[in-house]
Amino acid sequence: MAAISAAAPFVARDRDLYNRALVRGWLYVVLLVLFALVLVGGATRLTDSGLSITEWKPIHGVIPPLNDAEWQEEFQLYQQIPQYAELNKGMSIEAFKSIFWWEWAHRILARSVGLVFALPLLFFWATRRIERGLGPKLAGILLLGGLQGAIGWWMVASGLVDRVSVSQYRLATHLTLAALIFTATMVVARGLAPHSEPAADRSTQRLAGFIVLLALIQIYLGGLVAGLDAGLSYNTWPLMDGKLIPGDLLIIEPAWRNFFESPKTVQFVHRLGAYTVFAVALWHMIATRMRLSGSTHARRATLLFLLVLVQASIGIGTLLMQVPLHMALTHQGFALVVLGFAAAHWRGTKGAYPLPHEIALRN
């Protein structure tokens, strides 16, 4: 009996670690689907395909047109919006199909990530593999996913009546919420992972968290750039319009609108955001290596800076090459890589969530 009692904590620990591995593996799959969703969304925007499906049919919309009559019906709906009348008048049905499939793939992936998240969540909840305190976090991510679907349609609707493209405000909101969902999923997954070292000091934790915030802001700014096609002009670096600080940045009245509606100002602010992320990541690496030399925290801070450096290089290359599709998608995809690693690093500085059996022993 004494031997059984002595072994109980180890059995409980092994059970907790096993359950965590299952949940963590599921969340990593969710992250992969989210990554694919954001890339396809980027391709949809860059190919001007986002308005090709003019109705929101969450259930029926899973089935694409299956015959010529259905294709003609979809095409006729598209012909009624300003984008067709002003930009694509005379488009062939085959050309329409090419943009339709991008938007359809984006929507089907969005539905898929909902199922990939919700169904395993129900299973893990029913089998009591969701730890106390973890349920609200996962439910919150699920609710954000539902909100993201509504915001996606809100974004598309902005381009169906008076515009030939979607609102940059709504596009940036849609992209940033996707990045926020990606971040939250990564933080939870990393919190469930084993950690080889104790938590870092509070200063290191705060700076790591600040980099995550800066990355999210930079992604929002990138959404504004994409929404305004601001990357298609001023394709020089480090100078912009022949200067380090270009003129006419506040030409629109009132002045605040320039930061959201002027392609020149939005691109310049995006550049400033990149410089800020680079500088803070560099300082974080130096400070962490000095404060916690040889630790995994220091190694992660170094890798994070190198990822930021690569992303900056990709961004400059994308600009100089005048935003070809493959470079723009690489830039967007690598932004998620930087954000995901920054989120994982931040959670790593805080240590893993306490195991359920450890909490029970304390109580």
Side-chain angles (χ1 to χ4, degrees), residues 100 151 243 283 308 317 334 337:
F100 176 94
I151 287 178
K243 302 176 182 177
W283 172 247
V308 169
F334 210 81
V337 172

Side-chain angles (χ1 to χ4, degrees), residues 144-165:
L144 286 177
L147 177 62
Q148 176 72 329
I151 287 178
W153 175 247
W154 176 65
M155 176 189 69
V156 170
S158 69
L160 298 180
V161 180
D162 300 318
R163 300 172 57 101
V164 297
S165 61

Side-chain angles (χ1 to χ4, degrees), residues 6-62:
F10 298 100
V11 173
R13 182 177 184 278
D14 289 343
R15 182 185 65 245
D16 291 344
L17 291 175
Y18 175 73
N19 288 338
R20 280 193 170 187
L22 291 177
V23 174
R24 189 169 69 251
W26 156 58
L27 292 176
Y28 286 149
V29 171
V30 171
L31 286 169
L32 286 175
V33 181
L34 285 171
F35 185 84
L37 177 61
V38 172
L39 279 189
V40 172
T44 301
R45 171 68 190 94
L46 290 163
T47 56
D48 292 321
S49 304
L51 299 177
S52 58
I53 302 177
T54 60
E55 296 179 325
W56 192 27
K57 299 176 180 177
I59 306 301
H60 179 65
V62 172

Side-chain angles (χ1 to χ4, degrees), residues 238-265:
L239 300 182
M240 181 177 174
D241 199 18
K243 302 176 182 177
L244 284 175
I245 303 177
D248 296 328
L249 293 176
L250 301 177
I251 198 169
I252 301 174
E253 294 290 343
W256 67 264
R257 289 178 53 202
N258 291 276
F259 297 94
F260 302 94
E261 299 177 18
S262 165
K264 187 176 192 177
T265 307

Side-chain angles (χ1 to χ4, degrees), residues 38-92:
V38 172
L39 279 189
V40 172
T44 301
R45 171 68 190 94
L46 290 163
T47 56
D48 292 321
S49 304
L51 299 177
S52 58
I53 302 177
T54 60
E55 296 179 325
W56 192 27
K57 299 176 180 177
I59 306 301
H60 179 65
V62 172
I63 304 172
L66 300 176
N67 53 53
D68 289 343
E70 292 181 359
W71 275 114
Q72 285 296 336
E73 180 183 352
E74 286 287 348
F75 192 27
Q76 287 169 9
L77 290 171
Y78 177 67
Q79 289 172 327
Q80 295 172 17
I81 68 172
Q83 187 182 79
Y84 174 82
E86 298 182 31
L87 297 181
N88 292 329
K89 195 165 186 177
M91 169 186 276
S92 68

